[in-house]
Amino acid sequence: MSFRTASLRLARIAGSKASTSAISKRALSALASSAARPTLKATTPIVGARGVKTINFGGTEEVVYERADWPREKLLEYFKNDTLAMIGYGSQGYGQGLNLRDNGLNVIVGVRENGASWKAAIEDGWIPGQNLFPVEEAINKGTIVMNLLSDAAQSETWPQIKPLITEGKTLYFAHGFSPVFKDLTHVETPANVDVILVAPKGSGRTVRSLFKEGRGINSSYAVWNDVSGNAHEKAQALAVAVGSGYVYQTTFEREVNSDLYGERGCLMGGIHGMFLAQYEVLRENGHTPSEAFNETVEEATQSLYPLIGKYGMDYMYDACSTTARRGALDWYPIFKDALKPVFQDLYESVRNGSETQRSLDFNSQPDYREKLESELQTIRSMEIWKVGKEVRKLRPENN
């Protein structure tokens, strides 16, 4: 589908009253923006004292918690007696930590003194001795210990950290990896503390950028231990405090299985593999690098995917040309049938712990950074991504 055909078609549809009506029924577009209440008409009434909604998602009712349920003043009151100890300052530590700080909560960072993360935290305005401490000192000061170390680092440091998670504290994760696969990670959480999870559905950089834009990322929350009886409410409040726009409940098991599965599938690994396959076939059939890239990546990321994200795949079918629509309708079942066995194998590999073991084995090696850099350099050296770098320079906003 050419840019011009799609653009003209979309312009006509966007300008029509019929399309406006259709767009207004798209359930999650408003949720994703987090700037307003969902436009989806709930099949059940609003429930709960704080405006919590029960929404029908394709026939399944789920409770959704929104940022409006936890305004800043309420967060400050709820956490007025807490010190949030952010352990680790990688991608999620950066995003969640700065958002908590901007929300006015008493948050401190705990990392290895004078290491790379310590220096990065100082650059972001964290002050040694005031809100930046060595790990053990931060945990001792914290009432809510937010373990945002990498998965491998959580496993390696747990023997030193576990004795510091004393009764009365809350242990917070951003991923179900360590507790769920405890037979491999050896992260056996204490039974006498609340253990909760808030998992933003994006990188820490996105968590931060959406917060700064006044929006909010979507996140899931889960409870592993509820000793206090308030663990669910605490997790919901923390989800908003770290920058979420809306939050849905899951379990530690479902979170880690879906997360590892998604990263290896449509979110990263699978989509990269499809990009490469389509690009290579075009090049092998005489298409120029720029044409192959534009038809594979540029049109997808700049024209079609943003509209799918905003309005849905069904909207794209409504909006594209009759020829494009016919081809997509004919070929998507073929792709689904070909790929589903691969996805089934992938999910089983996640569920049985094979992916966890592979990750721990690789990321705990002393030279893993060098090996990782070698693999990443292979990707940077691929023709498709070298072409992409030049194509992006041609975009008007980059001139």
Side-chain angles (χ1 to χ4, degrees), residues 62-324:
E62 297 183 42
V63 174
V64 173
Y65 303 86
E66 298 179 83
R67 184 173 55 190
D69 300 325
W70 288 94
R72 187 170 183 268
E73 296 74 17
K74 187 172 183 177
L75 290 173
L76 292 173
E77 174 64 23
Y78 191 84
F79 293 110
K80 65 181 180 182
N81 297 321
D82 285 303
T83 297
L84 283 68
M86 179 78 61
I87 308 306
Y89 200 68
S91 175
Q92 286 295 333
Y94 157 84
Q96 295 189 37
L98 291 178
N99 291 353
L100 288 168
R101 192 175 74 183
D102 286 356
N103 270 328
L105 274 64
N106 182 23
V107 56
I108 61 177
V109 171
V111 292
R112 182 169 58 86
E113 192 169 10
N114 296 321
S117 294
W118 179 277
K119 295 173 183 176
I122 291 175
E123 290 178 2
D124 289 334
W126 302 94
I127 301 172
Q130 181 175 319
N131 53 19
L132 176 61
F133 301 94
V135 171
E136 182 174 343
E137 187 174 354
I139 294 176
N140 286 332
K141 290 178 178 293
T143 57
I144 299 175
V145 179
M146 307 176 74
N147 192 342
L148 298 187
L149 295 168
S150 70
D151 295 324
Q154 287 186 21
S155 178
E156 293 168 3
T157 60
W158 188 243
Q160 291 77 46
I161 288 178
K162 183 178 180 179
L164 306 177
I165 310 298
T166 53
E167 188 171 1
K169 293 183 185 290
T170 295
L171 179 58
Y172 168 110
F173 292 95
H175 192 18
F177 188 98
S178 292
V180 171
F181 295 109
K182 59 182 180 294
D183 291 342
L184 299 174
T185 65
H186 308 296
V187 176
E188 190 80 46
T189 60
N192 62 342
V193 302
D194 287 349
V195 180
I196 61 177
L197 172 149
V198 173
K201 296 305 157 183
S203 72
R205 299 288 165 177
T206 307
V207 172
R208 180 61 176 163
S209 63
L210 291 180
F211 177 85
K212 291 171 68 176
E213 292 171 13
R215 299 164 62 193
I217 199 163
N218 81 86
S219 300
S220 60
Y221 91 90
V223 172
W224 186 266
N225 286 346
D226 186 4
V227 175
S228 68
N230 298 315
H232 285 270
E233 186 173 63
K234 194 185 308 179
Q236 295 155 16
L238 276 171
V240 174
V242 301
S244 304
Y246 74 96
V247 189
Y248 58 90
Q249 186 177 358
T250 185
T251 66
F252 273 64
E253 293 85 354
R254 288 189 354 233
E255 188 283 328
V256 68
N257 286 341
S258 61
D259 187 80
L260 295 180
Y261 173 75
E263 289 169 347
R264 287 150 178 75
C266 289
L267 300 180
M268 294 177 65
I271 198 67
H272 188 196
M274 286 191 68
F275 279 158
L276 290 175
Q278 177 165 310
Y279 180 88
E280 289 175 5
V281 169
L282 286 170
R283 291 289 286 124
E284 289 161 5
N285 282 276
H287 296 269
T288 63
S290 62
E291 183 173 54
F293 185 86
N294 280 322
E295 291 294 341
T296 299
V297 179
E298 191 75 351
E299 184 170 354
T301 59
Q302 299 304 297
S303 176
L304 305 186
Y305 290 176
L307 289 169
I308 294 171
K310 192 171 184 180
Y311 301 124
M313 180 63 78
D314 52 339
Y315 177 88
M316 284 308 306
Y317 276 104
D318 291 339
C320 69
S321 69
T322 55
T323 300

